[in-house]
Amino acid sequence: HIMEKKHYTGAETIQALTSIIQEMQARAQAEEYGHSFIREIAFLTAHSMLHLLGYDHVNSAEEEKIMFTKQENILQSMGIVRK
């Protein structure tokens, strides 16, 4: 199964991450989900970067499983786990 990968310039990547990861929203989400602000920022960064690399979780259950597994592996490799 090959997914079409999208390629973004450095400026587009920074702009996308800036618009996606907003401090106030991340703090609110961390509180809502009951974990730390650092974990929420790490989650949003991993999630956003996987999207920028062409992964998605909307189109199919298979793609969702692939993306969410990669996302969890990234967080675990950084020592960031749900508490």
Side-chain angles (χ1 to χ4, degrees):
H1 173 16
I2 299 175
M3 289 184 281
E4 180 181 332
K5 302 293 182 197
K6 300 174 188 168
H7 298 282
Y8 297 88
T9 66
E12 288 172 325
T13 300
I14 291 169
Q15 183 179 12
L17 287 173
T18 300
S19 65
I20 293 168
I21 302 173
Q22 298 177 14
E23 182 181 353
M24 290 177 62
Q25 182 65 31
R27 288 189 187 281
Q29 287 176 197
E31 185 174 326
E32 178 182 344
Y33 296 119
H35 52 245
S36 72
F37 173 67
I38 296 298
R39 193 232 180 255
E40 185 65 19
I41 288 294
F43 166 81
L44 291 170
T45 300
H47 189 87
S48 299
M49 294 306 294
L50 287 169
H51 275 301
L52 289 171
L53 291 169
Y55 293 94
D56 208 338
H57 52 88
V58 177
N59 298 325
S60 75
E62 180 185 353
E63 287 185 11
E64 178 181 277
K65 183 178 179 180
I66 291 167
M67 182 175 174
F68 286 5
T69 298
K70 287 184 177 293
Q71 183 175 278
E72 198 56 39
N73 289 342
I74 291 166
L75 294 173
Q76 286 180 9
S77 75
M78 296 169 59
I80 298 175
V81 296
R82 288 185 187 258
K83 294 181 181 177

